[in-house]
Amino acid sequence: MRQTVCILFGGNSSEHEVSRASASNVLRQIDQDKFNVITVGITKSGSWYVTQASPDEIKSGAWEKRRNKACVPSPDPKHHGLLAFNKNGDYSVTRVDVIYPVLHGKNGEDGTVQGLFSLAGIPCVGPGILGSSLCMDKVSTKVVLEAGGIPVTEGFFVRKNYDAEDVHKKITESFGYPAVIKPSRAGSSVGVSLVNNQAELTKALEVAACEDDKILIERAVDAREIECAVLGTTEAPEASCLGEIIKEGMYDYNTKYVADTARPEIPANLSPELSEKIREMACRAFTLTECSGEARVDFFIDRKTGEVTLNEINTLPGFTDISMYPMLWGASGINYTDLITRLIELAR
């Protein structure tokens, strides 16, 4: 019998639109000869619906205008799936074998959904509770990586009750401007700013504080941005070839998804020795942070010193038209459909 895979998309997150774009591609590429697929959309307000929407409707957001059936995930293992509600208030149980959370950011990538389906006894694609929650928090990730001997970008963090004057003073005393300001728990570069002076810092802190109550301040590095896709178990991760993001200026949300001014170079133009070093670091980071299934590990190579530092780990990487994770595996010999199958099999 075909396994039933539930694709989750949307979510109460600032990355809601990116999730829809990723999910539409996963729905197009998943092997429906192998899997019985159901799709569940989560609105920005957090309501769950089973939907028969097409990939195009999911991507555009038009899925919410369809006649969808309200549902909730059941934490009871005997249901092993979803409770879908009829108009009269009755419900039916839809059994699910694997959850595929094509979710980005808070309330999806941070261990919350993973914990919910752990209670239900349903395997999820991607890292579990610990790996998801740890890697979602950039500050905590840096602490673990540093303890494991992996170099990270110099920086410090403040809480939401920060004093802007104190932050400015610490920047000037530590590494100086320019600096990068980012929320500790957000993705897709949402809330991230590059600042060159105190006036820009004040505004950037306010923007980051809208996303999270913990704010990371890092030394800005004139660097090449290198990405590696990792696939496998915590104990036996596999690394793809490397890719480089070619762009002008900062690789922020607008550059990624709006202006479309960046392009990938795959494989990255690096020496075999340096490539192997970075791939090995990616796998070590995957293991140190208790990742499993999938993750995209991002690095900086300082243009002046050649120093390699790990920037961040993305545990549910994008599957949009411009996403590096599927492109890196495609260049490494695993096509889109086979990659999705591998991820589902790893979850099971």
Side-chain angles (χ1 to χ4, degrees):
M1 291 179 62
R2 291 186 303 167
Q3 297 283 297
T4 296
V5 176
C6 175
I7 297 174
L8 286 181
F9 69 88
N12 181 10
S13 165
S14 57
E15 298 174 74
H16 180 97
E17 289 77 12
V18 181
S19 168
R20 293 201 318 252
S22 290
S24 68
N25 280 352
V26 171
L27 184 56
R28 284 190 179 95
Q29 297 292 338
I30 192 170
D31 189 340
Q32 301 208 23
D33 291 331
K34 289 185 177 179
F35 305 110
N36 175 42
V37 181
I38 61 174
T39 50
V40 171
I42 306 172
T43 67
K44 288 185 177 181
S45 62
S47 297
W48 294 49
Y49 295 95
V50 179
T51 181
Q52 300 293 323
S54 68
D56 286 342
E57 289 173 318
I58 290 174
K59 185 175 183 179
S60 70
W63 75 274
E64 291 193 39
K65 299 178 182 178
R66 292 178 60 98
R67 284 190 170 183
N68 303 308
K69 183 175 286 190
C71 70
V72 293
S74 171
D76 191 332
K78 74 181 180 185
H79 291 139
H80 212 272
L82 306 168
L83 307 181
F85 296 97
N86 301 316
K87 288 183 177 180
N88 61 6
D90 293 338
Y91 67 85
S92 59
V93 178
T94 301
R95 181 179 173 83
V96 174
D97 296 297
V98 177
I99 297 292
Y100 195 145
V102 190
L103 300 168
H104 305 310
K106 292 181 183 179
N107 304 311
E109 194 173 358
D110 55 3
T112 50
V113 162
Q114 291 75 13
L116 176 59
F117 288 106
S118 178
L119 286 173
I122 307 173
C124 274
V125 169
I129 300 168
L130 177 56
S132 298
S133 58
L134 174 60
C135 291
M136 186 68 189
D137 189 319
K138 296 178 179 64
V139 171
S140 298
T141 301
K142 287 166 73 78
V143 171
V144 171
L145 293 175
E146 283 186 297
I150 294 179
V152 297
T153 309
E154 182 182 3
F156 62 93
F157 79 95
V158 296
R159 297 286 181 178
K160 201 168 186 175
N161 60 350
Y162 64 84
D163 181 283
E165 185 64 39
D166 289 344
V167 177
H168 166 68
K169 183 179 179 181
K170 191 166 184 178
I171 290 174
T172 55
E173 292 176 347
S174 301
F175 42 76
Y177 291 99
V180 177
I181 314 301
K182 59 178 75 170
S184 184
R185 291 165 291 200
S188 294
S189 298
V190 174
V192 177
S193 304
L194 176 67
V195 300
N196 295 287
N197 52 54
Q198 187 173 5
E200 293 178 357
L201 171 67
T202 301
K203 177 62 177 177
L205 288 169
E206 293 172 357
V207 170
C210 291
E211 298 297 326
D212 192 26
D213 61 4
K214 189 158 59 173
I215 304 167
L216 181 59
I217 295 94
E218 293 181 323
R219 177 174 66 91
V221 183
D222 180 14
R224 298 173 66 182
E225 298 196 25
I226 306 296
E227 300 188 352
C228 180
V230 182
L231 175 70
T233 63
T234 307
E235 299 80 9
E238 305 170 39
S240 70
C241 67
L242 303 181
E244 180 172 5
I245 302 296
I246 308 298
K247 85 292 186 229
E248 293 184 8
M250 191 172 181
Y251 192 43
D252 57 10
Y253 186 95
N254 183 71
T255 302
K256 290 178 181 179
Y257 302 113
V258 181
D260 194 23
T261 55
R263 64 176 178 84
E265 183 172 274
I266 304 174
N269 183 20
L270 301 171
S271 70
E273 295 78 16
L274 183 55
S275 292
E276 189 55 33
K277 174 184 176 181
I278 293 174
R279 292 174 72 244
E280 188 274 334
M281 287 173 64
C283 288
R284 276 204 297 134
F286 189 89
T287 298
L288 280 169
T289 55
E290 293 291 330
C291 285
S292 59
E294 62 178 331
R296 194 194 69 240
V297 188
D298 301 345
F299 295 88
F300 290 146
I301 301 177
D302 192 305
R303 295 184 189 275
K304 295 178 181 178
T305 66
E307 179 187 15
V308 177
T309 54
L310 196 152
N311 179 32
E312 63 182 48
I313 302 172
N314 189 316
T315 57
L316 289 179
F319 273 76
T320 70
D321 294 336
I322 60 169
S323 293
M324 285 286 271
Y325 189 85
M327 287 195 287
L328 287 169
W329 279 118
S332 301
I334 304 178
N335 68 39
Y336 212 126
T337 297
D338 289 344
L339 176 60
I340 292 170
T341 299
R342 284 280 300 275
L343 290 170
I344 294 169
E345 290 173 345
L346 281 166
R348 292 171 53 197

